[in-house]
Amino acid sequence: MLTILGFGMIATFLVLIMLKKMSPMAALVIVPALFCVLVGKGSHLGDYVLKGIGSLAPTAAMLMFAIVYFGVMIDVGLFDPIVRGILRFCKADPMRVVVGTAVLAAIVSLDGDGSTTFMITVSAMVPLYRRLKMSLVIMTGVAAMANGVMNTLPWGGPTARAATALKLDAGDIFVPMIPALAVGLLFVIGLAYVLGLRERKRLGVLTLEQALGRPDGEPEPEQALIGSAGTGDVPARKAAPAGAGSTASGTATGSAADAPMANGGDAQEDDASSEILDPRRATLRPRLYWFNAALTVALLTLLILQTLPIPVLFLLGAAIALTVNFPHMPDQKARIAAHAENVLNVSGMVFAAAVFTGVLTGTGMVEEMARTVVDSVPDAMGPHMGLVTGVLSIPFTYFMSNDGFYFGIVPILAEAGAAHGVSPLEIARASLVGQALHMSSPLVPAVYVLVGMAKVEFGDHTRFTVKWAALTSLVVLGAGMLFGII
């Protein structure tokens, strides 16, 4: 019964948010509360919620101050040269922009923290997507998949959890998986290339200087692929050829129809992206550029070295950044107010997710769901428990936290595999397969940073990303089997 109710609760939540019948925050709270009552443990709801909030409170604190920190860095112009450099490298070509998103997210993911990766990637790429009228859902999807593949680094979390749960060495798990993970990352970049070609086909042609918002008095620039013909306040130098799928309103058509614009054509957001690149905005601090760059590098270095807890590092970083860049109290208040919306949205979603995870775990639904699925595996599949583990990791790491999967499910799978001669190392490696999809799970706080800062509806992100992320996970699994790793 608990198994049915558990799957029912997850299905109800996903249907409600994907059909946009409820906001994710409301669904994360109301759906588990109702199912907790159906299970007959309504009197324990408060305990489950408080336990869930207690486990996620440090994450919420980290995200709160990290958003303030990176928000201030955007305000003072730290990322302006990066944005302009990327745009010039991409030559305003949507295909290059999407591929650049995947590469940037993969590189920044080397720090091992998904939230930081998404903040940096979104900060650098959102102005480009909005200025060029590109679909922000493509950006969030590609960034999430690239980060998911790279999240398997030994210091990223899943590998360390698998090693701890099965009492193995993290290096023995990760190093042999590198070829399969490399194939997965190449697949993400290849997918980004295809999605970028779709965007290029949908959009018209603009000059690079027009994309950068250069005044009309500048010398005649070269032409480059981008921009939505006749959309917003960005003039079009040349419309897309007839039949290329471009429309005057910038609405997605043809093969790009499954990637919602996600406010990408909204005039207010276009103005906001112009403000980010405005070289005359009042919040710029050019004399403090190298101080801010050094502060950011130091912060990320300390984060990787785990010198202090991550929430403490971002709390200190935000305080220093505000004090040095905006020494006057009214200016500090203005900067905090400017980023309050993102802070509230993300931290609120984290605490709402705590209700979902608290009920799912506290009522015992997770354990029953896991045992039901594992017990349903035919005995004939025993010698192939590596393959079974890889396949099961895709839905399990999406519907539950990494802690729940690696400490609750993986040991059971390893025990079943050992009875048929499958080594724990093979099980541990196979358990990493689902991470490409895991990073878009509604139970992962970092995904709310991604969609919140990009101002993308979580339901839109889910509809667009899940199929591609699941396919990426299957590619990693197939490569692992082909190379004899799994």
Side-chain angles (χ1 to χ4, degrees), residues 58-102:
T59 300
M62 181 271 289
L63 295 177
M64 180 184 302
F65 292 105
I67 290 171
V68 172
Y69 178 83
F70 283 107
V72 169
M73 290 299 110
I74 294 171
D75 294 338
V76 300
L78 179 64
F79 297 108
D80 283 18
I82 299 174
V83 173
R84 294 178 185 278
I86 292 174
L87 185 53
R88 284 192 167 85
F89 172 77
C90 296
K91 296 182 179 178
D93 181 353
M95 182 273 290
R96 293 193 181 193
V97 171
V98 180
V99 172
T101 301

Side-chain angles (χ1 to χ4, degrees), residues 36 99 114 128 156 173 190 221 235 256 280 283 290 316 344 364 376 472 478:
C36 186
V99 172
L128 308 185
I173 298 172
R280 295 174 295 276
T283 58
W290 292 111
L316 293 172
L344 179 60
S376 65
T472 301

